[in-house]
Amino acid sequence: MKQKKEKLSGAEGFDEYYENIYGSRWESLKESLFLENQSVEYKIPGAEKSYFLDSASVFAALCLPLKNAENILDLCAAPGGKTLVLASRMPDNAHLSSNERSADRKHRLSVVVQTCLPEEISSRITVSCSDGATWCTRQTECFDRILLDAPCSSERHVILDPKYLNTWSPSRIKTVSMEQWALLSSAYRLLAPDGIMVYSTCALCPAENDEMIEKLNKKFNKSGNAFELLEPSPEIVEIKNFTDIKIPGFEKTKYGYEILPDKQNGAGPIYFSIIKKHNSILT
């Protein structure tokens, strides 16, 4: 089976790979990827501009509880939609570090922060350009809330671009999942005890989703009490003045949750897992 997967390529290989995962559901799920996703307007009073993002992305960011948070990190923040959701909800005394590895994308992120947030909020945000996978070599256990919306295969974009679809192969997923693990393990080291992290992607394959959390569990949770996985409790009331959003439904996976566009009128795909850290890795 492993050798067969490695031989898959192009549009036909893409189809076969995901049909093996989703079975008879794949056809309807694939068709939903061609539909326009369910974007909503996010407008914060006092900001110069609105921002439009997928309702599923808003939902994932809402599942990071911010009550009593002081030091918040958005580790892979560009283009900036989830940063806006976090910033609009964070306590008045909180600070948000919004980071992006790419210099070009970091510039775009900075523009979003300056134009889509009022000054009283943007002044409490630091936008940085750094490799999130190596951040933990400079600091550890210093953030009480972290959002890691990791780079992923993004099958919706692949299927809409013939160039990417025709050159697709499972090696793409293998490469991306290695990058995701470097980011996730770094983020976990950056998370303070009693802190909470949301790991999310817009990928459909378990290798980039549940399998990442399973790997985290095997690496850091051998005793079973280093961290726990929380159920979604989105803080919807906090954004009622910023957007008119229809909250999508979600489906349970082994270690997290997913919002899939075939069941949610085009919203998603989004996978997310909510991790609460208990014990320090430094002791």
Side-chain angles (χ1 to χ4, degrees):
M1 178 61 72
K2 183 177 180 181
Q3 290 178 338
K4 183 179 180 181
K5 284 184 177 180
E6 290 300 323
K7 292 179 181 179
L8 298 176
S9 64
E12 290 185 4
F14 181 88
D15 252 0
E16 185 174 345
Y17 184 90
Y18 287 97
E19 187 175 13
N20 286 336
I21 296 173
Y22 287 96
S24 60
R25 184 178 180 179
W26 171 238
E27 281 304 314
S28 62
L29 182 53
K30 180 174 69 171
E31 289 177 9
S32 72
L33 297 176
F34 288 96
L35 302 176
E36 185 176 350
N37 65 0
Q38 195 181 94
S39 294
V40 296
E41 182 180 15
Y42 205 85
K43 178 63 185 290
I44 301 171
E48 178 183 339
K49 294 181 178 179
S50 298
Y51 191 92
F52 292 84
L53 69 165
D54 192 317
S55 60
S57 295
V58 176
F59 186 91
L62 289 178
C63 286
L64 182 64
L66 298 184
K67 184 178 180 181
N68 298 324
E70 295 183 0
N71 295 305
I72 306 165
L73 173 63
D74 189 352
L75 191 57
C76 300
K82 292 187 178 71
T83 278
L84 297 182
V85 178
L86 296 179
S88 66
R89 299 169 44 229
M90 66 181 179
D92 291 342
N93 65 333
H95 180 270
L96 172 61
S97 297
S98 192
N99 178 72
E100 175 55 45
R101 181 178 61 182
S102 160
D104 288 341
R105 285 169 60 82
K106 182 257 186 180
H107 173 72
R108 182 181 175 188
L109 172 63
S110 297
V111 171
V112 168
V113 168
Q114 293 303 316
T115 60
C116 298
L117 288 168
E119 196 276 335
E120 63 266 22
I121 297 179
S122 64
S123 63
R124 293 186 286 119
I125 298 176
T126 299
V127 178
S128 59
C129 185
S130 176
D131 183 358
T134 62
W135 194 325
C136 64
T137 63
R138 303 186 298 276
Q139 291 179 289
T140 53
E141 301 191 334
C142 51
F143 294 99
D144 47 29
R145 299 291 187 274
I146 297 176
L147 174 63
L148 172 55
D149 184 30
C152 68
S153 289
S154 188
E155 291 89 349
R156 184 190 279 273
H157 292 100
V158 171
I159 205 168
L160 292 176
D161 190 323
K163 180 181 72 172
Y164 288 117
L165 183 59
N166 292 332
T167 58
W168 179 90
S169 75
S171 63
R172 171 187 173 94
I173 295 171
K174 184 177 181 180
T175 299
V176 170
S177 61
M178 290 173 63
E179 180 182 5
Q180 290 166 337
W181 172 245
L183 287 165
L184 179 57
S185 57
S186 177
Y188 188 78
R189 290 179 170 92
L190 289 168
L191 187 64
D194 296 321
I196 301 173
M197 171 170 61
V198 166
Y199 170 80
S200 69
T201 79
C202 57
L204 290 170
C205 55
E208 301 180 44
N209 298 332
D210 266 357
E211 290 179 24
M212 285 293 108
I213 308 303
E214 183 169 27
K215 192 171 183 178
L216 189 76
N217 192 52
K218 290 179 179 178
K219 174 71 175 180
F220 294 105
N221 202 24
K222 295 177 182 179
S223 64
N225 60 3
F227 68 79
E228 65 174 311
L229 301 179
L230 304 181
E231 296 182 358
S233 184
E235 298 175 341
I236 299 168
V237 68
E238 297 183 356
I239 63 164
K240 64 180 181 179
N241 294 327
F242 308 142
T243 183
D244 182 17
I245 182 175
K246 181 179 179 181
I247 298 298
F250 54 86
E251 303 172 44
K252 181 76 176 73
T253 66
K254 185 175 182 180
Y255 295 106
Y257 304 86
E258 58 189 3
I259 298 170
L260 299 179
D262 61 327
K263 300 291 186 181
Q264 300 302 326
N265 298 316
I270 284 286
Y271 169 88
F272 62 96
S273 182
I274 310 163
I275 303 152
K276 182 172 183 179
K277 185 176 184 178
H278 294 306
N279 299 333
S280 172
I281 59 173
L282 303 179
T283 56

